[in-house]
Amino acid sequence: EVVGPVAGEAAPGAASGSGGGYGGYRFRAFTERVETMDQEERELLEGHPDFQAFFHRTTLLVERTLGKQHWDHRGDEADLGELELMRYLDSYVEDRLTLGRPVTDVRFSPHHSQLFLASYRERANAALSDVPGCMLVWNMAMSSRPEAAFTSASAVLTAQFHRTEPALFFGGTYSGGVVLWDARAKAGPVMRSPLCGKGHSHPVQAMQQVGTENSANLVTASNDGRLCVWSMAKLNEPSESIDLRAAKGPQGAKFDLAMMSMAFPAMETNTMYAGAEDGTVAQVHIHGSKTGVTELYDGHEGPVTSLDMHPNCQDEFLQHAQSSSSLFDSLMLSSSFDWSVKMWDLKNHTTPLLSLDSFEDYVLDVKWHPSHPAIFAAVDGEGYAHLWNLNRSTESAVARLQNPSAAQRRLALNRCAWSGDGRRLATGDSEGMVAMYTMDRSVWEPRSEDILQFKDFVGQLKPLPRAGAPRPAPDEGVARPENPRSSVHPSVLESRAAMAASAYTRQ
């Protein structure tokens, strides 16, 4: 107990009675009897909601602080070495909520560089107490405890951070519902769309926020071919709803476009591209006199699992190459069950510019690097994360890694995502684990010559011939097996191909 300054006090530290002094202050020691709770009182206190909320909040703060010290030591390495471009860092899994659930989406936060989210399907052998779907927000500093956990009455197939509100999150579900979670509320959705009328009644496979901060919309796509545009403030009814149908050839019968993926060019709100279960890539117009499918692109022979538009790499290097932006902004990557990744020039050609066929299993996701124009990541059904640099090779990836904790089981990797600065790559597998990789400085700090080299490379490419056109004969004695050599988790097939095919059965 601090008693206070005393005039004429002796030298600091001098004792006086039962107290000590320091710097002109006296301290008096005292004891107070501490009462010990019995078991019943303790259980009553620990079970009180206010105590549980306090305990969860304070232990999360302590764990985050301790984890950040460990993460800062491991995760901030910039130069990995001349031969190492990518290195495994950590895995994120929560035994009670996520273990055994396929990861269906992974995205980094646009608001906080340390945060990312992952959405999950139901377990294959779910207990009665298991929630069908969930979405967790993770901090890179904590690998076994999420920052926040949200639940859904249906499996969550895709999820996103709200572009302007850090506490809000959107999700698309297997039942066809579009949900909104709020970190300031309980774990369940605070808003959901009705499963009737102009909205979705089939699994929502993809979503994207488009527009400006003052005029933004949420666009969602389901595997029965329905495209919906929602106001960001309400989900009771979409402002627009389009049922996409396409026909191959002038006399071809029209069919529903069973969408599995979609992508919007930068700053675009009307024109988008959709990847379908039958291998079709389609250009779609949402507004105007001619809505729906306006162009078909021929290239894939299996379900199109993902599409990703080139980010243009708008940085100081492009000030020296102004035409690079206009060249890159029509480039798109697509991945497919046909074991390939293809690069397209959407403005100028309806067939791919480049087909990368060295994969040995289904390619389930592909993403351009946010700052290096020639680099992208892809994940496959064998559990490999591939790092490609088109400036260096179009024959094979420059790095190829598996999660060490799951390498023996070869778990399929369903999704991947880059951090905003391009230093980290997150991948989600078919058993509920998200793995984090760090990149060498040469990956996330491109040189000016890297951008100019990629510009020259793209300018020299010619479109590939259409399917059925004469092609160079394959090497003698080289043939692919009918099925991949490693089996993809059944839930991956269900969430990508089987769900799309079931739309036709239900119709």
Side-chain angles (χ1 to χ4, degrees):
E1 177 186 14
V2 180
V3 177
V6 179
E9 184 69 48
S16 175
S18 61
Y22 185 81
Y25 286 84
R26 286 190 301 113
F27 301 90
R28 183 169 64 234
F30 65 92
T31 61
E32 181 179 347
R33 182 185 175 190
V34 178
E35 296 185 2
T36 304
M37 292 183 177
D38 60 31
Q39 185 67 20
E40 183 179 353
E41 290 176 325
R42 178 178 175 178
E43 291 177 354
L44 184 65
L45 176 64
E46 291 178 348
H48 195 281
D50 289 345
F51 176 83
Q52 290 183 344
F54 163 78
F55 186 77
H56 175 80
R57 186 171 61 253
T58 52
T59 55
L60 183 67
L61 180 62
V62 172
E63 189 171 341
R64 183 193 303 149
T65 303
L66 295 176
K68 188 175 186 305
Q69 296 173 357
H70 175 67
W71 175 263
D72 289 345
H73 174 69
R74 293 186 61 205
D76 284 343
E77 296 178 84
D79 300 303
L80 300 183
E82 196 171 314
L83 300 178
E84 188 178 17
L85 296 177
M86 179 168 64
R87 178 184 296 173
Y88 168 79
L89 280 179
D90 215 339
S91 292
Y92 299 78
V93 63
E94 206 278 338
D95 292 346
R96 182 178 62 88
L97 281 175
T98 71
L99 192 63
R101 294 177 182 268
V103 178
T104 56
D105 209 350
V106 180
R107 296 179 189 266
F108 278 85
S109 170
H111 313 289
H112 305 288
S113 61
Q114 289 287 313
L115 299 183
F116 65 93
L117 65 75
S119 60
Y120 304 82
R121 287 181 61 91
E122 71 279 1
R123 288 188 174 98
N125 299 307
L128 292 176
S129 59
D130 286 344
V131 293
C134 61
M135 188 276 287
L136 271 59
V137 179
W138 293 93
N139 189 314
M140 285 193 283
M142 298 186 296
S143 61
S144 60
R145 182 175 180 177
E147 284 274 348
F150 304 95
T151 60
S152 169
S154 179
V156 183
L157 304 184
T158 183
Q160 282 194 357
F161 289 90
H162 193 289
R163 185 188 291 176
T164 57
E165 296 290 339
L168 299 181
F169 312 86
F170 289 106
T173 66
Y174 182 84
S175 65
V178 179
V179 299
L180 176 70
W181 293 288
D182 191 333
R184 298 160 294 192
K186 294 183 179 180
V190 296
M191 195 183 304
R192 60 169 56 88
S193 65
L195 304 179
C196 60
K198 296 170 61 180
H200 297 292
S201 58
H202 290 73
V204 178
Q205 295 284 94
M207 63 169 50
Q208 189 163 337
Q209 298 168 66
V210 298
T212 63
E213 181 175 346
N214 297 324
S215 178
N217 291 308
L218 179 70
V219 181
T220 58
S222 56
N223 65 14
D224 62 340
R226 176 160 291 187
L227 192 72
C228 293
V229 182
W230 308 83
S231 165
M232 302 280 277
K234 58 181 182 179
L235 298 176
N236 58 325
E237 187 178 44
S239 56
E240 294 185 59
S241 180
I242 306 171
D243 291 322
L244 300 181
R245 295 179 64 82
K248 292 190 175 181
Q251 305 300 323
K254 286 199 170 184
F255 58 92
D256 292 332
L257 196 70
M259 287 180 286
M260 299 180 68
S261 53
M262 70 177 183
F264 279 81
M267 306 305 294
E268 181 62 68
T269 59
N270 181 37
T271 303
M272 57 160 280
Y273 298 89
E277 185 266 344
D278 67 342
T280 299
V281 176
Q283 182 188 75
V284 176
H285 284 176
I286 301 175
H287 316 288
S289 57
K290 186 178 181 181
T291 60
V293 177
T294 55
E295 185 74 72
L296 294 180
Y297 297 83
D298 182 27
H300 282 296
E301 299 175 357
V304 181
T305 54
S306 69
L307 302 174
D308 193 44
M309 300 297 302
H310 199 284
N312 292 329
C313 306
Q314 297 282 5
D315 57 25
E316 65 272 15
F317 293 135
L318 289 185
Q319 296 176 6
H320 305 289
Q322 295 296 327
S323 60
S324 295
S325 176
S326 61
L327 180 64
F328 296 164
D329 61 13
S330 64
L331 295 182
M332 183 181 75
L333 291 175
S334 61
S335 62
S336 172
F337 274 23
D338 64 8
W339 302 9
S340 75
V341 166
K342 300 188 188 299
M343 186 174 74
W344 309 75
D345 180 0
L346 298 169
K347 287 184 178 179
N348 301 307
H349 308 290
T350 57
T351 58
L353 287 181
L354 186 64
S355 182
L356 306 172
D357 303 314
S358 64
F359 297 91
E360 298 178 348
D361 210 319
Y362 301 140
V363 188
L364 300 175
D365 199 9
V366 63
K367 290 290 188 297
W368 285 109
H369 192 274
S371 57
H372 197 301
I375 287 180
F376 67 86
V379 293
D380 66 19
E382 277 197 311
Y384 283 100
H386 303 255
L387 184 70
W388 286 77
N389 185 339
L390 298 179
N391 282 347
R392 290 177 55 177
S393 175
T394 58
E395 299 297 326
S396 62
V398 294
R400 183 172 179 259
L401 290 180
Q402 278 185 309
N403 182 344
S405 60
Q408 298 301 319
R409 293 182 291 168
R410 289 194 174 185
L411 299 176
L413 297 184
N414 302 344
R415 288 298 183 196
C416 64
W418 289 103
S419 61
D421 58 9
R423 298 188 182 200
R424 313 279 182 259
L425 176 71
T427 65
D429 70 22
S430 57
E431 287 294 326
M433 186 179 296
V434 178
M436 190 68 64
Y437 301 87
T438 187
M439 301 294 145
D440 182 70
R441 185 187 300 272
S442 62
V443 173
W444 48 266
E445 273 193 3
R447 303 165 301 172
S448 57
E449 51 264 35
D450 291 329
I451 296 177
L452 297 175
Q453 182 182 351
F454 185 62
K455 176 189 172 184
D456 293 339
F457 168 75
V458 173
Q460 294 171 8
L461 293 176
K462 303 297 180 185
L464 300 178
R466 290 186 176 275
R471 295 189 181 186
D475 293 339
E476 291 296 329
V478 177
R480 284 187 173 180
E482 293 183 0
N483 297 307
R485 68 186 186 190
S486 67
S487 59
V488 178
H489 193 282
S491 60
V492 179
L493 302 179
E494 181 184 1
S495 64
R496 301 292 169 83
M499 287 194 312
S502 66
Y504 296 108
T505 303
R506 288 192 291 269
Q507 289 173 356

